[in-house]
PDB file of all heavy atoms in Angstrom:
ATOM      1  N   ARG G 201     -47.189  13.607 -59.290  1.00  0.00           N
ATOM      2  CA  ARG G 201     -48.465  13.023 -59.120  1.00  0.00           C
ATOM      3  C   ARG G 201     -48.536  11.645 -59.773  1.00  0.00           C
ATOM      4  O   ARG G 201     -48.296  11.509 -60.976  1.00  0.00           O
ATOM      5  CB  ARG G 201     -49.612  13.887 -59.760  1.00  0.00           C
ATOM      6  CG  ARG G 201     -50.993  13.329 -59.317  1.00  0.00           C
ATOM      7  CD  ARG G 201     -52.102  14.175 -59.871  1.00  0.00           C
ATOM      8  NE  ARG G 201     -52.277  13.967 -61.326  1.00  0.00           N
ATOM      9  CZ  ARG G 201     -53.377  14.251 -62.054  1.00  0.00           C
ATOM     10  NH1 ARG G 201     -54.380  14.830 -61.411  1.00  0.00           N
ATOM     11  NH2 ARG G 201     -53.384  14.098 -63.340  1.00  0.00           N
ATOM     12  N   LEU G 202     -48.741  10.647 -58.934  1.00  0.00           N
ATOM     13  CA  LEU G 202     -48.889   9.248 -59.428  1.00  0.00           C
ATOM     14  C   LEU G 202     -50.330   8.920 -59.720  1.00  0.00           C
ATOM     15  O   LEU G 202     -51.268   9.486 -59.052  1.00  0.00           O
ATOM     16  CB  LEU G 202     -48.388   8.312 -58.409  1.00  0.00           C
ATOM     17  CG  LEU G 202     -46.935   8.550 -57.831  1.00  0.00           C
ATOM     18  CD1 LEU G 202     -46.537   7.456 -56.834  1.00  0.00           C
ATOM     19  CD2 LEU G 202     -45.955   8.681 -58.923  1.00  0.00           C
ATOM     20  N   SER G 203     -50.525   8.078 -60.677  1.00  0.00           N
ATOM     21  CA  SER G 203     -51.849   7.602 -61.071  1.00  0.00           C
ATOM     22  C   SER G 203     -51.874   6.162 -61.006  1.00  0.00           C
ATOM     23  O   SER G 203     -50.898   5.429 -61.304  1.00  0.00           O
ATOM     24  CB  SER G 203     -52.236   8.097 -62.452  1.00  0.00           C
ATOM     25  OG  SER G 203     -52.246   9.526 -62.533  1.00  0.00           O
ATOM     26  N   CYS G 204     -53.043   5.553 -60.686  1.00  0.00           N
ATOM     27  CA  CYS G 204     -53.305   4.148 -60.693  1.00  0.00           C
ATOM     28  C   CYS G 204     -54.650   3.928 -61.322  1.00  0.00           C
ATOM     29  O   CYS G 204     -55.703   4.293 -60.778  1.00  0.00           O
ATOM     30  CB  CYS G 204     -53.297   3.574 -59.254  1.00  0.00           C
ATOM     31  SG  CYS G 204     -53.741   1.882 -59.156  1.00  0.00           S
ATOM     32  N   ALA G 205     -54.644   3.296 -62.479  1.00  0.00           N
ATOM     33  CA  ALA G 205     -55.824   2.961 -63.215  1.00  0.00           C
ATOM     34  C   ALA G 205     -56.195   1.521 -62.980  1.00  0.00           C
ATOM     35  O   ALA G 205     -55.383   0.603 -63.198  1.00  0.00           O
ATOM     36  CB  ALA G 205     -55.637   3.254 -64.706  1.00  0.00           C
ATOM     37  N   ALA G 206     -57.428   1.310 -62.532  1.00  0.00           N
ATOM     38  CA  ALA G 206     -57.874  -0.076 -62.175  1.00  0.00           C
ATOM     39  C   ALA G 206     -58.890  -0.550 -63.214  1.00  0.00           C
ATOM     40  O   ALA G 206     -59.772   0.250 -63.717  1.00  0.00           O
ATOM     41  CB  ALA G 206     -58.529  -0.099 -60.810  1.00  0.00           C
ATOM     42  N   SER G 207     -58.871  -1.773 -63.570  1.00  0.00           N
ATOM     43  CA  SER G 207     -59.771  -2.405 -64.465  1.00  0.00           C
ATOM     44  C   SER G 207     -60.195  -3.775 -63.907  1.00  0.00           C
ATOM     45  O   SER G 207     -59.396  -4.481 -63.234  1.00  0.00           O
ATOM     46  CB  SER G 207     -59.217  -2.531 -65.897  1.00  0.00           C
ATOM     47  OG  SER G 207     -58.063  -3.339 -65.882  1.00  0.00           O
ATOM     48  N   GLY G 208     -61.414  -4.223 -64.262  1.00  0.00           N
ATOM     49  CA  GLY G 208     -61.879  -5.495 -63.819  1.00  0.00           C
ATOM     50  C   GLY G 208     -62.149  -5.601 -62.288  1.00  0.00           C
ATOM     51  O   GLY G 208     -62.240  -6.752 -61.771  1.00  0.00           O
ATOM     52  N   PHE G 209     -62.256  -4.497 -61.562  1.00  0.00           N
ATOM     53  CA  PHE G 209     -62.449  -4.464 -60.176  1.00  0.00           C
ATOM     54  C   PHE G 209     -63.884  -4.079 -59.923  1.00  0.00           C
ATOM     55  O   PHE G 209     -64.281  -2.939 -59.883  1.00  0.00           O
ATOM     56  CB  PHE G 209     -61.504  -3.501 -59.546  1.00  0.00           C
ATOM     57  CG  PHE G 209     -61.408  -3.674 -58.036  1.00  0.00           C
ATOM     58  CD1 PHE G 209     -61.246  -4.936 -57.443  1.00  0.00           C
ATOM     59  CD2 PHE G 209     -61.305  -2.531 -57.244  1.00  0.00           C
ATOM     60  CE1 PHE G 209     -61.118  -5.094 -56.083  1.00  0.00           C
ATOM     61  CE2 PHE G 209     -61.129  -2.691 -55.848  1.00  0.00           C
ATOM     62  CZ  PHE G 209     -61.052  -3.975 -55.271  1.00  0.00           C
ATOM     63  N   THR G 210     -64.750  -5.116 -59.617  1.00  0.00           N
ATOM     64  CA  THR G 210     -66.184  -4.852 -59.567  1.00  0.00           C
ATOM     65  C   THR G 210     -66.784  -4.978 -58.149  1.00  0.00           C
ATOM     66  O   THR G 210     -68.010  -4.966 -58.054  1.00  0.00           O
ATOM     67  CB  THR G 210     -66.914  -5.908 -60.495  1.00  0.00           C
ATOM     68  OG1 THR G 210     -66.628  -7.202 -60.048  1.00  0.00           O
ATOM     69  CG2 THR G 210     -66.490  -5.691 -61.948  1.00  0.00           C
ATOM     70  N   TYR G 211     -65.956  -4.996 -57.158  1.00  0.00           N
ATOM     71  CA  TYR G 211     -66.467  -5.064 -55.762  1.00  0.00           C
ATOM     72  C   TYR G 211     -67.338  -3.828 -55.454  1.00  0.00           C
ATOM     73  O   TYR G 211     -66.982  -2.698 -55.802  1.00  0.00           O
ATOM     74  CB  TYR G 211     -65.333  -5.175 -54.773  1.00  0.00           C
ATOM     75  CG  TYR G 211     -64.549  -6.469 -54.840  1.00  0.00           C
ATOM     76  CD1 TYR G 211     -63.441  -6.524 -55.651  1.00  0.00           C
ATOM     77  CD2 TYR G 211     -64.893  -7.551 -54.083  1.00  0.00           C
ATOM     78  CE1 TYR G 211     -62.666  -7.698 -55.705  1.00  0.00           C
ATOM     79  CE2 TYR G 211     -64.210  -8.724 -54.157  1.00  0.00           C
ATOM     80  CZ  TYR G 211     -63.061  -8.784 -54.951  1.00  0.00           C
ATOM     81  OH  TYR G 211     -62.359  -9.950 -55.007  1.00  0.00           O
ATOM     82  N   SER G 212     -68.474  -4.100 -54.771  1.00  0.00           N
ATOM     83  CA  SER G 212     -69.304  -2.932 -54.415  1.00  0.00           C
ATOM     84  C   SER G 212     -68.701  -2.163 -53.255  1.00  0.00           C
ATOM     85  O   SER G 212     -69.036  -0.972 -53.119  1.00  0.00           O
ATOM     86  CB  SER G 212     -70.688  -3.481 -54.040  1.00  0.00           C
ATOM     87  OG  SER G 212     -70.596  -4.383 -52.913  1.00  0.00           O
ATOM     88  N   SER G 213     -67.896  -2.787 -52.474  1.00  0.00           N
ATOM     89  CA  SER G 213     -67.159  -2.116 -51.375  1.00  0.00           C
ATOM     90  C   SER G 213     -65.710  -2.348 -51.614  1.00  0.00           C
ATOM     91  O   SER G 213     -65.273  -3.509 -51.631  1.00  0.00           O
ATOM     92  CB  SER G 213     -67.646  -2.630 -50.055  1.00  0.00           C
ATOM     93  OG  SER G 213     -66.878  -2.052 -48.963  1.00  0.00           O
ATOM     94  N   LYS G 214     -64.926  -1.286 -51.714  1.00  0.00           N
ATOM     95  CA  LYS G 214     -63.472  -1.494 -52.009  1.00  0.00           C
ATOM     96  C   LYS G 214     -62.563  -0.401 -51.434  1.00  0.00           C
ATOM     97  O   LYS G 214     -63.062   0.732 -51.161  1.00  0.00           O
ATOM     98  CB  LYS G 214     -63.322  -1.553 -53.501  1.00  0.00           C
ATOM     99  CG  LYS G 214     -63.834  -0.313 -54.246  1.00  0.00           C
ATOM    100  CD  LYS G 214     -63.718  -0.491 -55.788  1.00  0.00           C
ATOM    101  CE  LYS G 214     -64.345   0.677 -56.562  1.00  0.00           C
ATOM    102  NZ  LYS G 214     -65.770   0.789 -56.288  1.00  0.00           N
ATOM    103  N   SER G 215     -61.333  -0.795 -51.288  1.00  0.00           N
ATOM    104  CA  SER G 215     -60.389   0.198 -50.744  1.00  0.00           C
ATOM    105  C   SER G 215     -59.129   0.063 -51.688  1.00  0.00           C
ATOM    106  O   SER G 215     -58.863  -0.945 -52.324  1.00  0.00           O
ATOM    107  CB  SER G 215     -59.913  -0.228 -49.385  1.00  0.00           C
ATOM    108  OG  SER G 215     -60.921  -0.137 -48.453  1.00  0.00           O
ATOM    109  N   MET G 216     -58.497   1.218 -51.862  1.00  0.00           N
ATOM    110  CA  MET G 216     -57.272   1.240 -52.641  1.00  0.00           C
ATOM    111  C   MET G 216     -56.190   2.010 -51.878  1.00  0.00           C
ATOM    112  O   MET G 216     -56.506   2.849 -50.989  1.00  0.00           O
ATOM    113  CB  MET G 216     -57.569   1.972 -54.015  1.00  0.00           C
ATOM    114  CG  MET G 216     -58.627   1.290 -54.840  1.00  0.00           C
ATOM    115  SD  MET G 216     -58.783   1.911 -56.474  1.00  0.00           S
ATOM    116  CE  MET G 216     -57.264   1.309 -57.199  1.00  0.00           C
ATOM    117  N   ALA G 217     -54.946   1.668 -52.208  1.00  0.00           N
ATOM    118  CA  ALA G 217     -53.898   2.241 -51.362  1.00  0.00           C
ATOM    119  C   ALA G 217     -52.571   2.334 -52.166  1.00  0.00           C
ATOM    120  O   ALA G 217     -52.473   1.822 -53.262  1.00  0.00           O
ATOM    121  CB  ALA G 217     -53.606   1.288 -50.196  1.00  0.00           C
ATOM    122  N   TRP G 218     -51.714   3.135 -51.657  1.00  0.00           N
ATOM    123  CA  TRP G 218     -50.345   3.302 -52.167  1.00  0.00           C
ATOM    124  C   TRP G 218     -49.377   2.782 -51.167  1.00  0.00           C
ATOM    125  O   TRP G 218     -49.449   3.184 -50.008  1.00  0.00           O
ATOM    126  CB  TRP G 218     -50.056   4.772 -52.534  1.00  0.00           C
ATOM    127  CG  TRP G 218     -50.762   5.271 -53.733  1.00  0.00           C
ATOM    128  CD1 TRP G 218     -51.871   5.989 -53.816  1.00  0.00           C
ATOM    129  CD2 TRP G 218     -50.330   5.091 -55.105  1.00  0.00           C
ATOM    130  NE1 TRP G 218     -52.250   6.277 -55.119  1.00  0.00           N
ATOM    131  CE2 TRP G 218     -51.261   5.733 -55.956  1.00  0.00           C
ATOM    132  CE3 TRP G 218     -49.193   4.459 -55.718  1.00  0.00           C
ATOM    133  CZ2 TRP G 218     -51.177   5.714 -57.316  1.00  0.00           C
ATOM    134  CZ3 TRP G 218     -49.081   4.462 -57.105  1.00  0.00           C
ATOM    135  CH2 TRP G 218     -50.048   5.106 -57.892  1.00  0.00           C
ATOM    136  N   PHE G 219     -48.475   1.925 -51.551  1.00  0.00           N
ATOM    137  CA  PHE G 219     -47.352   1.469 -50.745  1.00  0.00           C
ATOM    138  C   PHE G 219     -46.063   1.890 -51.438  1.00  0.00           C
ATOM    139  O   PHE G 219     -46.031   2.229 -52.618  1.00  0.00           O
ATOM    140  CB  PHE G 219     -47.416  -0.019 -50.580  1.00  0.00           C
ATOM    141  CG  PHE G 219     -48.488  -0.542 -49.736  1.00  0.00           C
ATOM    142  CD1 PHE G 219     -49.813  -0.591 -50.149  1.00  0.00           C
ATOM    143  CD2 PHE G 219     -48.198  -0.973 -48.379  1.00  0.00           C
ATOM    144  CE1 PHE G 219     -50.833  -1.046 -49.287  1.00  0.00           C
ATOM    145  CE2 PHE G 219     -49.221  -1.431 -47.586  1.00  0.00           C
ATOM    146  CZ  PHE G 219     -50.505  -1.479 -48.006  1.00  0.00           C
ATOM    147  N   ARG G 220     -44.998   1.829 -50.726  1.00  0.00           N
ATOM    148  CA  ARG G 220     -43.693   2.076 -51.292  1.00  0.00           C
ATOM    149  C   ARG G 220     -42.624   1.153 -50.658  1.00  0.00           C
ATOM    150  O   ARG G 220     -42.756   0.673 -49.532  1.00  0.00           O
ATOM    151  CB  ARG G 220     -43.285   3.557 -51.117  1.00  0.00           C
ATOM    152  CG  ARG G 220     -43.057   4.014 -49.713  1.00  0.00           C
ATOM    153  CD  ARG G 220     -42.712   5.504 -49.661  1.00  0.00           C
ATOM    154  NE  ARG G 220     -42.473   5.985 -48.275  1.00  0.00           N
ATOM    155  CZ  ARG G 220     -42.357   7.226 -47.975  1.00  0.00           C
ATOM    156  NH1 ARG G 220     -42.432   8.207 -48.935  1.00  0.00           N
ATOM    157  NH2 ARG G 220     -42.083   7.602 -46.751  1.00  0.00           N
ATOM    158  N   GLN G 221     -41.579   0.923 -51.406  1.00  0.00           N
ATOM    159  CA  GLN G 221     -40.560   0.060 -50.971  1.00  0.00           C
ATOM    160  C   GLN G 221     -39.190   0.570 -51.521  1.00  0.00           C
ATOM    161  O   GLN G 221     -38.984   0.572 -52.725  1.00  0.00           O
ATOM    162  CB  GLN G 221     -40.755  -1.398 -51.413  1.00  0.00           C
ATOM    163  CG  GLN G 221     -39.797  -2.348 -50.800  1.00  0.00           C
ATOM    164  CD  GLN G 221     -40.180  -3.816 -50.987  1.00  0.00           C
ATOM    165  OE1 GLN G 221     -40.997  -4.168 -51.874  1.00  0.00           O
ATOM    166  NE2 GLN G 221     -39.737  -4.712 -50.161  1.00  0.00           N
ATOM    167  N   ALA G 222     -38.373   0.933 -50.595  1.00  0.00           N
ATOM    168  CA  ALA G 222     -37.020   1.396 -50.972  1.00  0.00           C
ATOM    169  C   ALA G 222     -36.041   0.222 -50.870  1.00  0.00           C
ATOM    170  O   ALA G 222     -36.406  -0.815 -50.236  1.00  0.00           O
ATOM    171  CB  ALA G 222     -36.529   2.476 -49.985  1.00  0.00           C
ATOM    172  N   PRO G 223     -34.954   0.287 -51.546  1.00  0.00           N
ATOM    173  CA  PRO G 223     -33.966  -0.828 -51.497  1.00  0.00           C
ATOM    174  C   PRO G 223     -33.565  -1.180 -50.074  1.00  0.00           C
ATOM    175  O   PRO G 223     -33.378  -0.259 -49.249  1.00  0.00           O
ATOM    176  CB  PRO G 223     -32.785  -0.283 -52.216  1.00  0.00           C
ATOM    177  CG  PRO G 223     -33.363   0.694 -53.229  1.00  0.00           C
ATOM    178  CD  PRO G 223     -34.466   1.402 -52.469  1.00  0.00           C
ATOM    179  N   TRP G 224     -33.596  -2.419 -49.765  1.00  0.00           N
ATOM    180  CA  TRP G 224     -33.235  -2.966 -48.489  1.00  0.00           C
ATOM    181  C   TRP G 224     -34.229  -2.590 -47.358  1.00  0.00           C
ATOM    182  O   TRP G 224     -33.859  -2.677 -46.197  1.00  0.00           O
ATOM    183  CB  TRP G 224     -31.801  -2.549 -48.077  1.00  0.00           C
ATOM    184  CG  TRP G 224     -30.824  -2.719 -49.124  1.00  0.00           C
ATOM    185  CD1 TRP G 224     -30.243  -1.774 -49.914  1.00  0.00           C
ATOM    186  CD2 TRP G 224     -30.301  -3.979 -49.616  1.00  0.00           C
ATOM    187  NE1 TRP G 224     -29.372  -2.306 -50.866  1.00  0.00           N
ATOM    188  CE2 TRP G 224     -29.423  -3.709 -50.657  1.00  0.00           C
ATOM    189  CE3 TRP G 224     -30.563  -5.317 -49.283  1.00  0.00           C
ATOM    190  CZ2 TRP G 224     -28.694  -4.685 -51.368  1.00  0.00           C
ATOM    191  CZ3 TRP G 224     -29.897  -6.293 -49.959  1.00  0.00           C
ATOM    192  CH2 TRP G 224     -29.006  -5.983 -51.019  1.00  0.00           C
ATOM    193  N   LYS G 225     -35.397  -2.133 -47.740  1.00  0.00           N
ATOM    194  CA  LYS G 225     -36.458  -1.832 -46.806  1.00  0.00           C
ATOM    195  C   LYS G 225     -37.718  -2.669 -47.014  1.00  0.00           C
ATOM    196  O   LYS G 225     -37.908  -3.151 -48.102  1.00  0.00           O
ATOM    197  CB  LYS G 225     -36.804  -0.339 -46.903  1.00  0.00           C
ATOM    198  CG  LYS G 225     -35.657   0.618 -46.635  1.00  0.00           C
ATOM    199  CD  LYS G 225     -35.212   0.638 -45.182  1.00  0.00           C
ATOM    200  CE  LYS G 225     -34.150   1.721 -44.948  1.00  0.00           C
ATOM    201  NZ  LYS G 225     -33.728   1.806 -43.530  1.00  0.00           N
ATOM    202  N   GLU G 226     -38.506  -2.801 -46.020  1.00  0.00           N
ATOM    203  CA  GLU G 226     -39.777  -3.472 -46.174  1.00  0.00           C
ATOM    204  C   GLU G 226     -40.795  -2.606 -46.823  1.00  0.00           C
ATOM    205  O   GLU G 226     -40.704  -1.341 -46.778  1.00  0.00           O
ATOM    206  CB  GLU G 226     -40.282  -4.003 -44.834  1.00  0.00           C
ATOM    207  CG  GLU G 226     -40.741  -2.934 -43.878  1.00  0.00           C
ATOM    208  CD  GLU G 226     -41.184  -3.464 -42.583  1.00  0.00           C
ATOM    209  OE1 GLU G 226     -40.534  -4.359 -42.013  1.00  0.00           O
ATOM    210  OE2 GLU G 226     -42.220  -3.000 -42.074  1.00  0.00           O
ATOM    211  N   ARG G 227     -41.750  -3.171 -47.498  1.00  0.00           N
ATOM    212  CA  ARG G 227     -42.811  -2.406 -48.111  1.00  0.00           C
ATOM    213  C   ARG G 227     -43.713  -1.765 -47.008  1.00  0.00           C
ATOM    214  O   ARG G 227     -44.094  -2.480 -46.069  1.00  0.00           O
ATOM    215  CB  ARG G 227     -43.683  -3.303 -49.014  1.00  0.00           C
ATOM    216  CG  ARG G 227     -44.701  -2.567 -49.915  1.00  0.00           C
ATOM    217  CD  ARG G 227     -45.230  -3.457 -50.987  1.00  0.00           C
ATOM    218  NE  ARG G 227     -44.247  -3.980 -51.892  1.00  0.00           N
ATOM    219  CZ  ARG G 227     -44.465  -4.732 -52.928  1.00  0.00           C
ATOM    220  NH1 ARG G 227     -45.687  -4.992 -53.308  1.00  0.00           N
ATOM    221  NH2 ARG G 227     -43.468  -5.177 -53.660  1.00  0.00           N
ATOM    222  N   GLU G 228     -43.936  -0.447 -47.195  1.00  0.00           N
ATOM    223  CA  GLU G 228     -44.688   0.251 -46.175  1.00  0.00           C
ATOM    224  C   GLU G 228     -45.878   1.001 -46.770  1.00  0.00           C
ATOM    225  O   GLU G 228     -45.814   1.427 -47.938  1.00  0.00           O
ATOM    226  CB  GLU G 228     -43.801   1.262 -45.447  1.00  0.00           C
ATOM    227  CG  GLU G 228     -43.218   2.328 -46.297  1.00  0.00           C
ATOM    228  CD  GLU G 228     -42.345   3.310 -45.501  1.00  0.00           C
ATOM    229  OE1 GLU G 228     -42.103   3.058 -44.324  1.00  0.00           O
ATOM    230  OE2 GLU G 228     -41.923   4.302 -46.097  1.00  0.00           O
ATOM    231  N   GLY G 229     -46.983   1.106 -45.940  1.00  0.00           N
ATOM    232  CA  GLY G 229     -48.168   1.825 -46.498  1.00  0.00           C
ATOM    233  C   GLY G 229     -47.923   3.320 -46.464  1.00  0.00           C
ATOM    234  O   GLY G 229     -47.357   3.854 -45.534  1.00  0.00           O
ATOM    235  N   VAL G 230     -48.335   3.988 -47.522  1.00  0.00           N
ATOM    236  CA  VAL G 230     -48.218   5.425 -47.635  1.00  0.00           C
ATOM    237  C   VAL G 230     -49.561   6.141 -47.426  1.00  0.00           C
ATOM    238  O   VAL G 230     -49.653   7.015 -46.589  1.00  0.00           O
ATOM    239  CB  VAL G 230     -47.637   5.731 -49.036  1.00  0.00           C
ATOM    240  CG1 VAL G 230     -47.580   7.331 -49.171  1.00  0.00           C
ATOM    241  CG2 VAL G 230     -46.263   5.175 -49.225  1.00  0.00           C
ATOM    242  N   ALA G 231     -50.559   5.728 -48.178  1.00  0.00           N
ATOM    243  CA  ALA G 231     -51.881   6.348 -48.044  1.00  0.00           C
ATOM    244  C   ALA G 231     -52.887   5.308 -48.592  1.00  0.00           C
ATOM    245  O   ALA G 231     -52.572   4.484 -49.420  1.00  0.00           O
ATOM    246  CB  ALA G 231     -51.900   7.622 -48.879  1.00  0.00           C
ATOM    247  N   SER G 232     -54.094   5.474 -48.115  1.00  0.00           N
ATOM    248  CA  SER G 232     -55.221   4.589 -48.618  1.00  0.00           C
ATOM    249  C   SER G 232     -56.517   5.347 -48.581  1.00  0.00           C
ATOM    250  O   SER G 232     -56.642   6.333 -47.889  1.00  0.00           O
ATOM    251  CB  SER G 232     -55.263   3.309 -47.724  1.00  0.00           C
ATOM    252  OG  SER G 232     -55.583   3.635 -46.382  1.00  0.00           O
ATOM    253  N   ILE G 233     -57.487   4.760 -49.336  1.00  0.00           N
ATOM    254  CA  ILE G 233     -58.746   5.351 -49.369  1.00  0.00           C
ATOM    255  C   ILE G 233     -59.854   4.266 -49.414  1.00  0.00           C
ATOM    256  O   ILE G 233     -59.666   3.233 -50.123  1.00  0.00           O
ATOM    257  CB  ILE G 233     -58.942   6.323 -50.549  1.00  0.00           C
ATOM    258  CG1 ILE G 233     -60.296   7.036 -50.565  1.00  0.00           C
ATOM    259  CG2 ILE G 233     -58.696   5.531 -51.880  1.00  0.00           C
ATOM    260  CD1 ILE G 233     -60.340   8.207 -51.600  1.00  0.00           C
ATOM    261  N   TYR G 234     -60.927   4.476 -48.652  1.00  0.00           N
ATOM    262  CA  TYR G 234     -62.099   3.620 -48.811  1.00  0.00           C
ATOM    263  C   TYR G 234     -62.927   4.273 -49.871  1.00  0.00           C
ATOM    264  O   TYR G 234     -63.500   5.329 -49.642  1.00  0.00           O
ATOM    265  CB  TYR G 234     -62.872   3.492 -47.494  1.00  0.00           C
ATOM    266  CG  TYR G 234     -64.133   2.690 -47.612  1.00  0.00           C
ATOM    267  CD1 TYR G 234     -64.177   1.460 -48.232  1.00  0.00           C
ATOM    268  CD2 TYR G 234     -65.296   3.144 -47.041  1.00  0.00           C
ATOM    269  CE1 TYR G 234     -65.317   0.730 -48.343  1.00  0.00           C
ATOM    270  CE2 TYR G 234     -66.496   2.449 -47.090  1.00  0.00           C
ATOM    271  CZ  TYR G 234     -66.507   1.226 -47.776  1.00  0.00           C
ATOM    272  OH  TYR G 234     -67.635   0.493 -47.880  1.00  0.00           O
ATOM    273  N   SER G 235     -62.986   3.684 -51.037  1.00  0.00           N
ATOM    274  CA  SER G 235     -63.556   4.356 -52.179  1.00  0.00           C
ATOM    275  C   SER G 235     -65.035   4.721 -52.015  1.00  0.00           C
ATOM    276  O   SER G 235     -65.501   5.763 -52.600  1.00  0.00           O
ATOM    277  CB  SER G 235     -63.406   3.505 -53.449  1.00  0.00           C
ATOM    278  OG  SER G 235     -62.016   3.304 -53.759  1.00  0.00           O
ATOM    279  N   ASN G 236     -65.781   3.939 -51.305  1.00  0.00           N
ATOM    280  CA  ASN G 236     -67.209   4.157 -51.161  1.00  0.00           C
ATOM    281  C   ASN G 236     -67.489   5.469 -50.387  1.00  0.00           C
ATOM    282  O   ASN G 236     -68.523   6.149 -50.752  1.00  0.00           O
ATOM    283  CB  ASN G 236     -67.870   2.987 -50.458  1.00  0.00           C
ATOM    284  CG  ASN G 236     -67.707   1.669 -51.183  1.00  0.00           C
ATOM    285  OD1 ASN G 236     -66.560   1.229 -51.374  1.00  0.00           O
ATOM    286  ND2 ASN G 236     -68.829   1.083 -51.619  1.00  0.00           N
ATOM    287  N   SER G 237     -66.716   5.793 -49.419  1.00  0.00           N
ATOM    288  CA  SER G 237     -66.920   6.973 -48.639  1.00  0.00           C
ATOM    289  C   SER G 237     -66.013   8.141 -48.874  1.00  0.00           C
ATOM    290  O   SER G 237     -66.235   9.304 -48.482  1.00  0.00           O
ATOM    291  CB  SER G 237     -66.979   6.616 -47.138  1.00  0.00           C
ATOM    292  OG  SER G 237     -65.621   6.306 -46.728  1.00  0.00           O
ATOM    293  N   GLY G 238     -64.811   7.770 -49.397  1.00  0.00           N
ATOM    294  CA  GLY G 238     -63.801   8.790 -49.650  1.00  0.00           C
ATOM    295  C   GLY G 238     -62.865   8.969 -48.397  1.00  0.00           C
ATOM    296  O   GLY G 238     -62.022   9.898 -48.451  1.00  0.00           O
ATOM    297  N   HIS G 239     -63.124   8.174 -47.358  1.00  0.00           N
ATOM    298  CA  HIS G 239     -62.239   8.299 -46.196  1.00  0.00           C
ATOM    299  C   HIS G 239     -60.793   7.917 -46.492  1.00  0.00           C
ATOM    300  O   HIS G 239     -60.547   6.899 -47.171  1.00  0.00           O
ATOM    301  CB  HIS G 239     -62.755   7.356 -45.116  1.00  0.00           C
ATOM    302  CG  HIS G 239     -61.880   7.316 -43.858  1.00  0.00           C
ATOM    303  ND1 HIS G 239     -61.915   8.334 -42.935  1.00  0.00           N
ATOM    304  CD2 HIS G 239     -60.974   6.420 -43.451  1.00  0.00           C
ATOM    305  CE1 HIS G 239     -61.064   7.997 -41.992  1.00  0.00           C
ATOM    306  NE2 HIS G 239     -60.478   6.898 -42.281  1.00  0.00           N
ATOM    307  N   THR G 240     -59.848   8.739 -46.144  1.00  0.00           N
ATOM    308  CA  THR G 240     -58.465   8.517 -46.414  1.00  0.00           C
ATOM    309  C   THR G 240     -57.610   8.262 -45.152  1.00  0.00           C
ATOM    310  O   THR G 240     -57.977   8.712 -44.062  1.00  0.00           O
ATOM    311  CB  THR G 240     -57.875   9.679 -47.171  1.00  0.00           C
ATOM    312  OG1 THR G 240     -58.156  10.906 -46.450  1.00  0.00           O
ATOM    313  CG2 THR G 240     -58.494   9.802 -48.552  1.00  0.00           C
ATOM    314  N   TYR G 241     -56.534   7.693 -45.312  1.00  0.00           N
ATOM    315  CA  TYR G 241     -55.523   7.454 -44.306  1.00  0.00           C
ATOM    316  C   TYR G 241     -54.140   7.793 -44.840  1.00  0.00           C
ATOM    317  O   TYR G 241     -53.793   7.492 -45.968  1.00  0.00           O
ATOM    318  CB  TYR G 241     -55.525   5.990 -43.829  1.00  0.00           C
ATOM    319  CG  TYR G 241     -54.295   5.576 -43.105  1.00  0.00           C
ATOM    320  CD1 TYR G 241     -54.175   5.801 -41.752  1.00  0.00           C
ATOM    321  CD2 TYR G 241     -53.239   4.949 -43.749  1.00  0.00           C
ATOM    322  CE1 TYR G 241     -52.986   5.479 -41.064  1.00  0.00           C
ATOM    323  CE2 TYR G 241     -52.029   4.593 -43.061  1.00  0.00           C
ATOM    324  CZ  TYR G 241     -51.939   4.825 -41.770  1.00  0.00           C
ATOM    325  OH  TYR G 241     -50.844   4.478 -41.062  1.00  0.00           O
ATOM    326  N   TYR G 242     -53.274   8.407 -44.036  1.00  0.00           N
ATOM    327  CA  TYR G 242     -51.934   8.721 -44.435  1.00  0.00           C
ATOM    328  C   TYR G 242     -50.972   8.278 -43.355  1.00  0.00           C
ATOM    329  O   TYR G 242     -51.211   8.462 -42.150  1.00  0.00           O
ATOM    330  CB  TYR G 242     -51.785  10.225 -44.660  1.00  0.00           C
ATOM    331  CG  TYR G 242     -52.671  10.799 -45.747  1.00  0.00           C
ATOM    332  CD1 TYR G 242     -53.871  11.326 -45.465  1.00  0.00           C
ATOM    333  CD2 TYR G 242     -52.218  10.723 -47.039  1.00  0.00           C
ATOM    334  CE1 TYR G 242     -54.645  11.841 -46.495  1.00  0.00           C
ATOM    335  CE2 TYR G 242     -52.995  11.239 -48.040  1.00  0.00           C
ATOM    336  CZ  TYR G 242     -54.198  11.773 -47.783  1.00  0.00           C
ATOM    337  OH  TYR G 242     -55.010  12.273 -48.807  1.00  0.00           O
TER     338      TYR G 242
END
């Protein structure tokens, strides 16, 4: 289980996401969430 603690982020509408990058590969999206509604993408 990975954790991401955010500070100083005061937007009333915001999204957060996890990306990953393996050696010799481009960075790719893993999962994201629109924090205001809880809607997720995988």
Side-chain angles (χ1 to χ4, degrees):
R201 189 180 73 163
L202 308 183
S203 298
C204 173
S207 62
F209 195 43
T210 60
Y211 293 91
S212 59
S213 177
K214 56 187 179 293
S215 298
M216 299 188 72
W218 288 96
F219 288 77
R220 66 185 180 186
Q221 187 166 24
W224 312 108
K225 302 288 186 178
E226 67 182 46
R227 191 168 298 187
E228 62 180 7
V230 176
S232 63
I233 185 168
Y234 177 48
S235 295
N236 301 61
S237 67
H239 176 78
T240 54
Y241 161 85
Y242 297 94

